[in-house]
Amino acid sequence: MIEDKKYGFEEVDKLSRAERKFKVGHILYIIFFTLSYFYLMTLMFDSMNGSIFYLLINLYFALLLLILWGFSKSIESKAKERVYAKLMNEKYELEQKYINILNQNPNTLEDYIRAFFLTYGSEEPEYSKHSYNFKRLLYLNKKISSKQLYDVSEPDKIVAQVKEKIALEHKFWAILNENPVTLEDYVKLFSSTYGESYRDNIADFKRLVYLHGITIKSENEIELLLTSIEEKKQLNLLENKFKAILNENPVTLEDYVKLFSSTYEESYSDNLADFKRLLHLRGITIPSGDEIEFLLEAIKLNLLENKFKPLLNDESVTLKDYVGLFLSTYKNEYPVNLLLFKKMLLIQKDISWIRVEEEIKSYFFSTISNKSSFKSIYGVEPIYDFKLIHEFCKKYGFSYSEDDLENLSKLLITKGIKIHDKSILKELVSKANMERHYSLFTECMKTEIPLDETGYIQKAIGLFGNNFNKRFDLPYLHRFFIERNLTSLDYKNFEEYVMTRIFELSLLSDENKLSVHEVDAMDGYEFEVFVGQLYQKMGYSVEQTPLSNDQGADLIISKYGEKTAVQVKNYTSNVGNGAIQEVVAAKNYYGCSSCIVVANSYFTKSAIELADANGVKLVDRDELNYLINNKGIEINPKSDSALCVKGIELSSPGRYEEATILHGNEFILKGCELTNLGRYEEAIQAFDKAIEIDSKSEIPWSSKGWALSSLGRYEEAIQAYDKAIEIDSKYGSAWGGKSLALSSLGREEEANEAFDRAKELGYTES
């Protein structure tokens, strides 16, 4: 409905209708007019004809309608005046009530709403309380129409919109303080204010722009403007970063790539993504996604060939020389350049990638095992320090998981040591473990004076029996002989030669060979140790269970990843069902795949039937005698050699919680086991006990030095090594350990002297 033109309020017309009533005076006037009119007509009746009569009647009704219309207008006007007066009175009262709002001189509807929020707050309960009166004030001040007044949702929508606008203006006050006018002004200020986090605020920003009445041509116009601004920022940053390249005024893609390659050399891969972005923002056309990589590879290959040019032109240069120079040149960045290096050798020297990989392995292996002679092999000093790998082997031995290996790889990377192939790292760990065990082997083979070939073979027979473990013992013996110039045979021929010599020596000597009758004289524990050594000679690794609470097994033997529980019975009478039941229970308890009962007597018929039913292997007196004569010659469970071999076997898994040898030399072995477990304080106590038993032996003094070094007590360690050297000045391990301790204290000159002495005595780092 159109607002009243005079008063400006639809309510004036609407509310005045109820007061438009004819009063008594109006009715009496009409009656008087009617009577008077008709009285005059009667006076003229005789002189008028019919047509005049009808004319006068019509005139009457016309005059009557005119009078009624006049009365109506008069009544309406007065009613509107009264209603308007009421509205103005209401307006006055409301203005007095909301004087604090009006004092803020609001002009627009939004101004009134903002003034209301400033006065009463923007909380919903407060607005609801004043909602009706405030809307009336807005209406009487002509800020909303009567339709908006009576439509419940319409004003509330406007209030909510203003409330939202106020909140957004508060959020984006930093932008609005700059008085932006155009959409571009808003977007520039938004980008500079919020930077990279603008995406989190863009929805609110769009709403602010809309509420401020800024025209947006398309739905994604703001995003396009922001992208353009961000690209300009990126371009400025990248142009500053690559200033050295741009100063050369490159034009073509090839110009850019050449300058990039020569500027960044080895670190180009770290900057390649930014370089590509620079080219894109500068409008440099890239024909294909890989074009830059192809160009870079060609340039890098050319640089690599220039670096190796002297070697490439020398026909006498070997693959070892190439690998040595490559790894010493690129050091820990070699994995990035390895592919180019392989391509260069394939193109220039027809050397296959497989050969290159194998030579890199050899390089690493030489670093692990032949550090002292490394330079003579590769012509350069080794660039890698694999101390962490040796420490890893010391802790885990061969019993590490894939997760352990992964953690080692990550640790090496943090130390700047990158190995391009995880399988190589695994082989390096295996090599380091072998080196560690070889050190134990050489300790066991140590003699007062150097022996000849026969003497060392006899020494090895004393340690390992006739049947060498071909995985460890025989390869170690081969290396031991080569290092002492006792053989020039390759491993295959050496194996055949040594096994023949062992057979010859066993025929010529029966010394220390045991018979089953001598086994009968052993006590229970000695028999356990004896059987353990017997299985060692058959290629098993052996673990003795606790002396008490062994859960039915005296030994756990392992071979090819399979574990077997062994129950040992030193009986004068036949062995019954009890031993079978015990070992079956032990098999499950220790997680073994099979079980054995070994006895120096025989088994009852019932025991044999029970063993067959449960898959238990029985070794009786006859089979034991056969094994002694064919597998276990020269076994002595109380010999120092046996103890030394046991030490090697126990150190391989890298985990045993208790000492298992109770002979006079027990404390050396116990100390070694505790050292392998990282329990260095207890190990030192064990070595001290060993020194009390034999203070003239250099081994416990040297071993104690190693444990002290592991605790960082280098001065005490040096004193222990000096004591070992005082006892035996030719003890290479003591000199080597002393060298490491001196180096840890920063006494490099003394450390080098000690290390040179250790090398003279045949000591090698492992």
Side-chain angles (χ1 to χ4, degrees):
M1 184 180 290
I2 300 172
E3 301 285 1
D4 187 278
K5 292 183 179 179
K6 180 178 180 180
Y7 299 104
F9 299 104
E10 184 182 339
E11 277 193 353
V12 172
D13 182 63
K14 187 185 295 184
L15 296 174
S16 66
R17 289 174 190 170
E19 298 187 21
R20 295 177 192 177
K21 297 177 181 179
F22 288 102
K23 295 183 179 180
V24 175
H26 294 122
I27 296 171
L28 291 174
Y29 182 85
I30 292 171
I31 293 172
F32 174 76
F33 168 75
T34 302
L35 291 173
S36 298
Y37 187 86
F38 280 102
Y39 173 74
L40 291 173
M41 282 184 65
T42 57
L43 293 176
M44 298 170 59
F45 185 77
D46 292 334
S47 60
M48 65 177 74
N49 55 28
S51 59
I52 294 173
F53 178 79
Y54 284 114
L55 178 64
L56 291 173
I57 290 297
N58 288 331
L59 179 62
Y60 166 76
F61 283 110
L63 291 172
L64 182 62
L65 287 174
L66 183 62
I67 291 168
L68 289 173
W69 179 81
F71 284 161
S72 175
K73 281 296 180 180
S74 175
I75 292 168
E76 180 184 353
S77 177
K78 289 179 180 179
K80 284 185 178 181
E81 285 178 1
R82 288 194 298 272
V83 170
Y84 183 73
K86 288 180 183 179
L87 290 178
M88 291 302 99
N89 186 54
E90 180 188 3
K91 178 182 177 184
Y92 175 77
E93 290 176 356
L94 289 173
E95 285 178 342
Q96 291 303 309
K97 181 175 182 177
Y98 294 109
I99 189 68
N100 291 332
I101 293 176
L102 297 174
N103 284 342
Q104 298 177 47
N105 299 315
N107 185 28
T108 65
L109 172 61
E110 185 177 322
D111 294 339
Y112 273 87
I113 295 172
R114 286 176 181 270
F116 178 86
F117 287 153
L118 285 173
T119 305
Y120 296 101
S122 59
E123 297 299 322
E124 184 60 32
E126 197 64 32
Y127 174 72
S128 298
K129 179 180 174 183
H130 294 273
S131 176
Y132 175 77
N133 288 332
F134 183 60
K135 289 178 186 177
R136 292 293 298 171
L137 176 67
L138 294 175
Y139 173 70
L140 294 172
N141 278 284
K142 300 182 181 180
K143 301 305 173 186
I144 60 174
S145 66
S146 59
K147 180 182 177 182
Q148 290 174 315
L149 174 64
Y150 292 107
D151 185 344
V152 176
S153 63
E154 187 69 21
D156 292 339
K157 285 180 182 177
I158 298 169
V159 169
Q161 194 174 80
V162 172
K163 188 186 293 187
E164 180 188 11
K165 188 175 180 181
I166 292 170
L168 291 172
E169 286 175 346
H170 178 72
K171 177 176 181 178
F172 296 107
W173 67 270
I175 294 174
L176 298 175
N177 279 351
E178 299 295 326
N179 301 313
V181 178
T182 65
L183 179 61
E184 288 76 9
D185 295 338
Y186 275 88
V187 174
K188 283 180 181 178
L189 288 167
F190 176 63
S191 176
S192 62
T193 303
Y194 287 92
E196 293 182 1
S197 65
Y198 78 87
R199 289 181 178 83
D200 299 331
N201 300 281
I202 194 167
D204 286 346
F205 176 70
K206 282 184 173 182
R207 186 67 180 159
L208 174 75
V209 170
Y210 168 76
L211 293 175
H212 272 241
I214 305 300
T215 304
I216 302 174
K217 296 176 183 177
S218 62
E219 187 178 344
N220 63 343
E221 185 177 4
I222 290 178
E223 282 82 354
L224 292 173
L225 285 170
L226 282 168
T227 301
S228 175
I229 292 168
E230 284 300 308
E231 286 184 346
K232 287 178 182 177
K233 286 182 183 177
Q234 284 184 25
L235 182 59
N236 289 335
L237 290 172
L238 292 172
E239 285 181 340
N240 186 54
K241 177 177 180 177
F242 296 107
K243 191 175 181 180
I245 294 174
L246 300 177
N247 285 345
E248 299 296 324
N249 301 314
V251 178
T252 65
L253 175 62
E254 190 170 347
D255 294 339
Y256 275 94
V257 174
K258 282 182 179 179
L259 288 167
F260 174 67
S261 176
S262 61
T263 303
Y264 286 91
E265 290 278 338
E266 313 305 332
S267 63
Y268 81 90
S269 59
D270 297 331
N271 297 281
L272 184 56
D274 284 347
F275 178 65
K276 284 184 175 181
R277 185 66 178 158
L278 173 72
L279 295 178
H280 169 74
L281 294 175
R282 292 201 119 212
I284 304 300
T285 303
I286 303 174
S288 66
D290 298 327
E291 182 72 17
I292 293 177
E293 281 78 358
F294 290 149
L295 285 170
L296 277 171
E297 184 172 314
I299 293 166
K300 298 300 288 184
L301 185 59
N302 184 57
L303 289 172
L304 192 67
E305 288 174 349
N306 289 336
K307 204 168 275 188
F308 281 83
K309 196 170 185 179
L311 294 182
L312 293 170
N313 293 334
D314 187 348
E315 294 299 325
S316 65
V317 173
T318 65
L319 179 56
K320 271 186 170 47
D321 298 322
Y322 287 117
V323 169
L325 179 59
F326 172 68
L327 292 174
S328 62
T329 300
Y330 290 98
K331 299 182 174 63
N332 295 319
E333 294 298 323
Y334 87 87
V336 178
N337 298 281
L338 181 57
L339 182 61
L340 285 174
F341 179 66
K342 290 178 179 178
K343 286 183 177 180
M344 179 192 76
L345 291 181
L346 183 64
I347 295 168
Q348 297 289 337
K349 293 294 180 181
D350 196 26
I351 297 174
S352 70
W353 290 15
I354 295 174
R355 286 183 60 198
V356 175
E357 284 284 351
E358 289 301 319
E359 190 54 49
I360 289 174
K361 281 187 188 179
S362 297
Y363 180 97
F364 289 140
F365 292 162
S366 296
T367 305
I368 283 282
S369 59
N370 298 310
K371 195 171 180 180
S372 58
S373 57
F374 184 92
K375 188 171 182 179
S376 63
I377 299 173
Y378 287 95
V380 291
E381 292 292 342
I383 60 169
Y384 294 96
D385 183 0
F386 288 140
K387 182 180 179 181
L388 286 172
I389 294 179
H390 290 297
E391 292 298 321
F392 178 84
C393 294
K394 187 189 295 184
K395 180 175 181 179
Y396 293 100
F398 286 103
S399 302
Y400 59 85
S401 66
E402 287 298 317
D403 288 340
D404 295 330
L405 193 67
E406 181 64 28
N407 288 334
L408 174 62
S409 177
K410 291 176 180 176
L411 177 60
L412 290 172
I413 289 172
T414 65
K415 302 297 182 182
I417 301 174
K418 298 177 184 176
I419 298 174
H420 70 285
D421 188 342
K422 191 176 178 181
S423 66
I424 293 180
L425 177 59
K426 196 168 186 176
E427 290 185 52
L428 284 172
V429 170
S430 178
K431 186 74 171 176
N433 268 318
M434 298 287 280
E435 289 299 315
R436 184 164 170 269
H437 291 161
Y438 179 67
S439 295
L440 290 171
F441 178 89
T442 56
E443 284 296 317
C444 292
M445 292 291 288
K446 185 177 177 296
T447 58
E448 293 284 340
I449 57 173
L451 304 179
D452 59 9
E453 173 198 285
T454 301
Y456 280 121
I457 292 177
Q458 289 175 327
K459 175 76 173 177
I461 292 172
L463 289 170
F464 306 107
N466 288 357
N467 292 320
F468 278 15
N469 181 331
K470 292 185 180 180
R471 182 183 175 192
F472 294 112
D473 305 335
L474 200 54
Y476 289 162
L477 185 64
H478 181 232
R479 177 176 168 183
F480 186 83
F481 271 41
I482 288 176
E483 289 177 355
R484 287 156 182 77
N485 296 318
L486 295 175
T487 186
S488 59
L489 297 174
D490 61 24
Y491 177 74
K492 184 177 180 181
N493 290 320
F494 177 79
E495 178 186 354
E496 184 177 347
Y497 173 76
V498 168
M499 299 312 292
T500 303
R501 290 285 288 130
I502 289 173
F503 180 72
E504 177 186 2
L505 292 170
S506 67
L507 289 177
L508 297 176
S509 175
D510 287 332
E511 184 180 357
N512 289 333
K513 187 176 290 186
L514 295 175
S515 70
V516 74
H517 299 291
E518 291 172 291
V519 170
D520 293 337
M522 295 179 182
D523 62 27
Y525 181 75
E526 289 174 343
F527 186 47
E528 285 182 20
V529 174
F530 168 74
V531 172
Q533 294 176 9
L534 187 62
Y535 276 105
Q536 283 177 344
K537 296 198 189 302
M538 296 191 308
Y540 289 87
S541 61
V542 178
E543 174 189 353
Q544 285 189 277
T545 59
L547 296 177
S548 59
N549 298 319
D550 63 12
Q551 305 299 332
D554 298 305
L555 306 170
I556 303 298
I557 62 174
S558 303
K559 194 173 187 180
Y560 309 125
E562 299 290 329
K563 291 201 304 181
T564 302
V566 180
Q567 173 73 274
V568 177
K569 294 297 182 184
N570 188 0
Y571 280 13
T572 55
S573 58
N574 290 345
V575 179
N577 287 6
I580 312 302
Q581 294 165 350
E582 289 174 6
V583 81
V584 169
K587 170 188 169 184
N588 296 326
Y589 180 80
Y590 289 104
C592 299
S593 57
S594 58
C595 51
I596 302 172
V597 179
V598 180
N600 64 329
S601 57
Y602 297 97
F603 296 90
T604 64
K605 181 180 179 182
S606 176
I608 293 171
E609 291 173 352
L610 185 61
D612 287 342
N614 287 277
V616 180
K617 177 176 173 56
L618 302 179
V619 177
D620 62 12
R621 185 177 183 83
D622 294 337
E623 186 168 350
L624 179 64
N625 191 41
Y626 171 81
L627 293 174
I628 291 170
N629 288 310
N630 292 276
K631 303 289 184 184
I633 61 169
E634 299 184 27
I635 300 178
N636 182 351
K638 296 184 180 180
S639 70
D640 290 344
S641 297
L643 287 170
C644 193
V645 174
K646 184 69 175 175
I648 294 175
E649 294 295 336
L650 286 173
S651 67
S652 297
R655 63 183 200 285
Y656 291 108
E657 289 293 339
E658 18 181 316
T660 57
I661 305 298
L662 301 176
H663 307 298
N665 214 1
E666 63 173 302
F667 293 107
I668 295 178
L669 178 57
K670 183 175 181 180
C672 290
E673 292 172 352
L674 291 167
T675 299
N676 288 334
L677 292 169
R679 292 157 55 181
Y680 301 116
E681 292 287 1
E682 296 172 74
I684 292 168
Q685 294 175 14
F687 292 133
D688 285 339
K689 288 286 186 182
I691 291 168
E692 286 179 19
I693 294 171
D694 184 5
S695 62
K696 299 298 183 183
S697 173
E698 70 280 8
I699 295 175
W701 283 108
S702 182
S703 300
K704 180 181 178 181
W706 182 260
L708 287 165
S709 287
S710 298
L711 289 172
R713 293 156 60 180
Y714 300 115
E715 292 289 359
E716 295 175 73
I718 291 168
Q719 292 175 12
Y721 286 129
D722 284 341
K723 190 66 179 177
I725 292 167
E726 181 184 325
I727 295 169
D728 184 356
S729 62
K730 296 182 179 180
Y731 191 36
S733 293
W735 283 105
K738 181 179 179 180
S739 169
L740 293 173
L742 287 166
S743 179
S744 298
L745 291 173
R747 293 155 62 178
E748 296 299 335
E749 187 174 343
E750 296 173 76
N752 291 335
E753 290 177 3
F755 186 69
D756 289 341
R757 178 62 175 149
K759 286 196 293 184
E760 290 174 11
L761 297 170
Y763 172 78
T764 57
E765 288 185 280
S766 61

